[in-house]
Amino acid sequence: MFGKKSGSGKKFQHNTAGYLFISPWLIGFLLLTLWPILQSLYLSFTDYSLLDSPVWVGTENYSNIFTSDRLFVKSLAVTFTFVLFAVPIKLMFSLLVAMLLNQNVKGMSIYRTLIYFPSLIGGSIAVAALWRNMFGLEGYINHILGWFGIQGVGWIANPDTALGTLILLNAWQFGSTMVIFLAGLKQIPKDLYESASVDGAGVLRKFYSITLPMLSPVIFFNLVLGIINAFQMFTSAFVITSGGPANSTYMYVLYLYEKAFRQYQMGYASALAWILLLIIGVFTLINFTVSKYWVHYESEGGKSN
């Protein structure tokens, strides 16, 4: 009896010590993450301007968004277009660079560092401002085109090309995705390529039959993160184009920001945020659902599922 009590006491002390160690994170999660999420959900059903107390309006915010808000439809269309093009381009470019950096070449570690280094500041305001200058009417891109006798245009000021500049910037910020791809490539056994070479397989055959299937879990991981990040793209649109011209780069999060911090419609903005969460959740669920048809994992028996 006494032994059991002693054991229970030690277990209690052990658990208490564990909770004490994780208490900074736990307190931070409850106060800085969970509570703001619940508060945002509540505010989405209110009329709240930061200056006055929230007034409960039920589903009025959601009703106005879906029935009479043209900017909601426009920002959503722009965001979907951005995600549709930016995510695949970034994935393909990152994989291409990772495969080039996976070669056994002298000094490759230096090349990897130099190529990854710009990504350390890739999402900063300074880079967005630099991008704006590069693609301006008097920017570096038009200056280079002038060397070949090509008349440049205002890439950012043109509604037909403004969104394309943001897609290119997103592709240029490939560092983290590339590193994950490179780590995945390092895990593919070399003897698979050697066996394929003996069988007479070429470079493309090896890529489609070995690299892509073995790398599919990494591709899936980068795809899910890429979609989530693309839907939340804000800094580039805010600094480079401010949503223009003609709302051609009016991203969803930029619209949410303006509703919250320029028009002080915090309740309306909270509803927009929860709609975005639902959209991202649906896309993530779809990705996990269809992943069983193209993502291959190594089981304990050594067979891919």
Side-chain angles (χ1 to χ4, degrees), residues 208-249:
Y208 287 108
S209 299
I210 299 176
T211 304
L212 285 183
M214 296 294 293
L215 204 61
S216 58
V218 180
I219 297 175
F220 173 67
F221 176 79
N222 281 331
L223 175 64
V224 172
L225 288 186
I227 291 176
I228 293 174
N229 292 331
F231 269 111
Q232 300 179 80
M233 201 279 281
F234 169 77
T235 303
S236 301
F238 179 74
V239 175
I240 298 175
T241 62
S242 298
N247 291 335
S248 60
T249 61

Side-chain angles (χ1 to χ4, degrees), residues 44-66:
S44 70
F45 295 99
T46 67
D47 180 11
Y48 180 46
S49 64
L50 285 178
L51 302 178
D52 301 317
S53 300
V55 178
W56 183 267
V57 294
T59 60
E60 181 179 330
N61 289 329
Y62 293 95
S63 177
N64 292 336
I65 289 173
F66 288 112

Side-chain angles (χ1 to χ4, degrees), residues 168-206:
L168 288 177
L169 176 57
N170 183 77
W172 183 76
Q173 298 168 346
F174 63 90
S176 299
T177 307
M178 180 269 295
V179 169
I180 297 174
F181 273 134
L182 185 59
L185 290 171
K186 293 291 185 183
Q187 300 302 315
I188 301 177
K190 298 296 183 182
D191 55 357
L192 294 179
Y193 294 105
E194 295 174 357
S195 299
S197 298
V198 173
D199 292 337
V203 176
L204 291 179
R205 183 64 177 176
K206 293 177 183 178

